[in-house]
């Protein structure tokens, strides 16, 4: 247990701010408020910090609760100590398997040697491939304000309107986006897909050396000792009070940072979008069949949307050099019915795959259908606040951004006069984070500047 944690024993019953939920939203709010000098306590129902980012060790392998990745293109990546996470990277792109042949579609900016293979991948005519490039450039480099000002439609309508052809849509974009949006109709808001694609164009995706849970653990460790109370579910919330099994707390401000379903139960004024689900099957192979860490996309008509050798990106996920494979479907599936398909995607024999475990996450993330409500209110009045991915976008970025917004709203209410001190503390924290990013990515300054610009744009647009 790292510092910041405490079990549900002899708790104080009063805090300046109570945060309910130690996911990334709650921890982002709590760390900002603590940095600004407020007395903050976090009540967490579960047994770890990080919420939906959860990792366990099974037979020596690091297994995240569902296949998930961290994207450095998220503006809020600047809030994290990325070197401390020791990220291992996926290459930007994906593998498509068509008629048994594997085709690599790789971002040529990072790997110029992959241009010939990418150019000849079966993604339609030259004009259609150019449309795919144009779509990426527009999402990556148009100011966020203009992206958000574009007419909103479903993602599929927007992709077709952009001239993306059938092959690129069905073989590449649909399975790629389905694995991120957790829906394959591409009914998601085109505005959210623009922001998401922007993060992929500008950033890199990776896995922490200790698993995705390490992201939440890092934030929790920034809080003073004893401020995260695990195994402490909030049973009821009202202005100034939170009831738990161990007694009732009082506070000047209460921030509800739970998953969307619990938030609507605790705060009837809050509405949340429908939840998306995902099932992930984990297998072990004697060795990786690939030479580069790339996500393999599911084939049209297959329930598998993607399959990745996660230990290629992050070797620490495997205890002994064997390959750990994560394969996801959007409907609950049984491992044995997918084994042949997963083997075919990786070009191995089904008998090579040793089943490790499977997990279905019901409320993996909320839907982001049109009309996209990018910044739902976080201040509800009477000292009640709400944050979580359901307030911004269904992502690590959305959770952290909503936590930052909630912290700013609490500070405005509780420290209106001390704003100079408070804002100074917050600005210095952000500056330190940017310095860390620059140190980590001196050559990738476009990423860093891109992240800063996007963050400024998004916040400015709010
Ligand atoms: C399988 C999967 C894959 C994903 N892949 C990605 C990805 O690749 N990239 C990406 O950006 N995002 C991804 N996401 C989404 C991302 O993980 C979430 O959007 C984000 O973590 C949500 O954070 P949160 O703080 O809003 O909520 P949560 O993480 O849900 O945190 C809420 C916390 O509140 C606690 N809680 C609930 N009820 C109570 C109560 N009554 N009292 C006290 N505490 C309570 C919960 O235990 C939890 O710790 C994925 C999610 C899943 C599940």
């Amino acid at each position: 247990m790292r510092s910041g944690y405490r079990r549900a024993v002899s708790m104080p019953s009063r805090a300046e701010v109570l945060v309910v939920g130690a996911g990334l939203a709650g921890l982002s709010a709590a760390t900002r408020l603590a940095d600004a000098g407020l007395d903050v306590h976090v009540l967490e129902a579960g047994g770890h910090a990080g919420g939906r980012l959860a990792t366990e060790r099974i037979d020596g392998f690091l297994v995240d609760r569902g296949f998930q990745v961290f994207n450095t293109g998220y503006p809020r990546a600047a809030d994290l100590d990325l070197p401390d996470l020791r990220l291992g990277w996926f290459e930007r792109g994906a593998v498509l398997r068509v008629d048994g042949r594997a085709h690599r579609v790789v971002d040529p900016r990072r790997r110029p040697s992959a241009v010939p293979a990418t150019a000849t991948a079966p993604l339609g005519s030259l004009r259609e491939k150019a449309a795919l490039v144009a779509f990426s450039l527009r999402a990556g480099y148009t100011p966020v304000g203009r992206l958000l000002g574009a007419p909103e439609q479903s993602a599929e309508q927007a992709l077709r309107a952009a001239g993306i052809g059938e092959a690129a849509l069905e073989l590449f974009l649909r399975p790629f986006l389905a694995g991120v949006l957790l829906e394959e109709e591409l009914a998601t808001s085109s505005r959210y897909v623009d922001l998401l694609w922007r993060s992929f164009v500008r950033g890199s995706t990776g896995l922490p050396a200790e698993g995705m849970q390490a992201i939440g653990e890092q934030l929790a460790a920034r809080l003073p000792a004893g401020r995260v109370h695990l195994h402490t579910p909030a049973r009821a919330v009202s202005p100034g009070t939170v009831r738990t099994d161990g007694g009732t707390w009082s506070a000047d401000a209460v921030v509800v940072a739970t998953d969307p379903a619990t938030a609507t139960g605790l705060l009837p004024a809050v509405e949340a979008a429908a939840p998306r689900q995902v099932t992930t099957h984990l297998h072990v192979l004697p060795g990786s069949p690939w030479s580069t860490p790339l996500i393999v996309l599911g084939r049209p008509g297959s329930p598998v949307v993607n399959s990745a050798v996660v230990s290629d990106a992050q070797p620490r996920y495997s205890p002994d050099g064997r390959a750990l494979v994560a394969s996801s479907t959007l409907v609950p599936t049984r491992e044995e019915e997918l084994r042949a398909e997963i083997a075919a995607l990786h070009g191995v024999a089904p008998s090579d795959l040793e089943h490790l475990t499977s997990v279905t996450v019901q409320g993996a993330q909320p839907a982001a259908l049109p009309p996209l409500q990018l910044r739902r209110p976080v201040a509800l009045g009477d000292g009640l606040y709400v944050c979580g991915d359901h307030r911004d976008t269904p992502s690590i970025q959305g959770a952290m951004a909503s936590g930052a917004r909630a912290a700013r709203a609490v500070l405005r209410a509780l420290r209106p006069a001390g704003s100079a001190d408070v804002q100074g503390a917050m600005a210095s924290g952000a500056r330190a984070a940017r310095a860390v990013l620059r140190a980590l990515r001196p050559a990738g300054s476009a990423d860093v500047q891109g992240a800063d610009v996007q963050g400024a744009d998004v916040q400015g647009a709010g």
Side-chain angles (χ1 to χ4, degrees):
M1 216 181 256
R2 292 172 75 168
S3 74
Y5 295 155
R6 175 181 191 143
R7 289 183 74 98
V9 285
S10 65
M11 291 193 297
S13 56
R14 153 105 205 133
E16 210 170 3
V17 185
L18 279 177
V19 176
V20 178
L24 296 191
L27 292 170
S28 294
T31 49
R32 279 158 194 270
L33 293 168
D35 282 353
L38 276 76
D39 172 41
V40 186
H41 284 258
V42 182
L43 310 181
E44 164 56 45
H48 75 278
R52 272 169 268 169
L53 303 191
T55 307
E56 62 180 322
R57 204 172 271 283
I58 303 179
D59 292 348
F61 290 91
L62 279 181
V63 177
D64 292 325
R65 189 158 183 270
F67 175 56
Q68 34 189 310
V69 292
F70 180 72
N71 189 325
T72 60
Y74 289 151
R76 292 266 70 91
D79 296 349
L80 296 166
D81 179 352
L82 297 184
D84 177 63
L85 292 174
R86 290 173 292 140
L87 290 154
W89 305 103
F90 282 102
E91 193 150 319
R92 291 195 214 187
V95 174
L96 339 168
R97 202 171 267 282
V98 182
D99 297 332
R101 229 187 110 194
H103 300 269
R104 286 179 172 77
V105 177
V106 173
D107 185 338
R109 294 172 306 166
R110 284 293 163 94
R111 189 181 277 274
S113 62
V115 169
T118 301
T120 54
L123 292 178
S125 66
L126 259 183
R127 196 160 53 85
E128 289 166 339
K129 286 176 182 165
L132 186 56
V133 173
F135 171 73
S136 296
L137 293 175
R138 174 186 159 275
Y141 301 105
T142 303
V144 167
R146 268 175 51 204
L147 283 180
L148 293 175
E152 187 176 24
Q153 45 198 332
S154 76
E156 175 159 354
Q157 286 168 335
L159 293 170
R160 290 191 187 282
I164 307 286
E166 207 59 25
L169 186 62
E170 299 307 332
L171 297 175
F172 179 58
L173 283 170
R174 192 184 298 279
F176 189 97
L177 289 171
V180 183
L181 305 171
L182 306 186
E183 62 98 0
E184 56 191 346
E185 285 76 36
L186 302 186
T188 298
S189 162
S190 56
R191 289 184 181 159
Y192 178 48
V193 170
D194 280 346
L195 293 180
L196 194 67
W197 204 251
R198 180 183 187 83
S199 304
F200 282 113
V201 171
R202 288 173 169 252
S204 298
T205 54
L207 296 169
E210 301 300 327
M212 290 295 282
Q213 186 175 316
I215 298 172
E217 305 266 5
Q218 182 185 94
L219 291 175
R222 287 182 193 167
L223 292 170
R227 298 309 173 96
V228 180
H229 305 272
L230 301 177
H231 306 291
T232 308
R235 300 298 181 193
V237 167
S238 56
T241 61
V242 175
R243 183 161 57 77
T244 70
D245 297 338
T248 298
W249 286 65
S250 64
D252 298 329
V254 177
V255 181
V256 173
T258 66
D259 56 278
T262 307
T264 57
L266 292 173
L267 299 169
V270 169
E271 287 177 11
R276 304 282 192 207
Q277 64 168 305
V278 63
T279 296
T280 303
H281 302 285
L282 278 300
H283 291 92
V284 177
L285 280 171
S288 175
W290 304 101
S291 55
T292 45
L294 275 167
I295 292 169
V296 184
L297 299 180
R299 302 187 281 196
S302 162
V304 178
V305 289
N306 60 45
S307 184
V309 181
V310 288
S311 52
D312 279 351
Q314 180 49 270
R316 296 281 299 246
Y317 273 41
S318 168
D320 53 15
R322 282 179 294 159
L324 180 63
V325 184
S327 311
S328 296
T329 66
L330 304 183
V331 289
T333 43
R334 287 183 303 127
E335 183 271 332
E336 57 273 21
E337 50 186 52
L338 294 179
R339 183 181 288 226
E341 176 65 10
I342 294 167
L345 287 176
H346 292 283
V348 300
S351 57
D352 289 343
L353 289 166
E354 186 192 331
H355 183 217
L356 186 66
T357 189
S358 298
V359 60
T360 293
V361 186
Q362 300 281 356
Q365 55 194 49
L369 297 171
L372 183 67
Q373 289 175 269
L374 200 50
R375 276 177 208 80
R376 294 179 188 222
V378 291
L380 304 178
D382 291 332
L384 289 176
Y385 301 82
V386 62
C387 60
D389 59 353
H390 57 104
R391 297 282 98 192
D392 281 71
T393 57
S395 63
I396 290 169
Q397 161 65 21
M400 293 181 75
S402 76
R405 287 201 297 128
R408 286 197 292 271
V410 171
L411 282 170
R412 275 196 298 273
L414 299 190
R415 291 281 193 278
S419 55
D421 290 352
V422 165
Q423 287 179 9
M426 294 178 86
S428 73
R431 271 199 306 277
R434 280 197 293 272
V436 168
L437 262 178
R438 276 194 295 275
L440 181 75
R441 293 273 161 87
S445 56
D447 286 354
V448 175
Q449 284 158 18
D452 283 347
V453 168
Q454 187 186 2
D457 282 352
V458 169
Q459 282 158 27

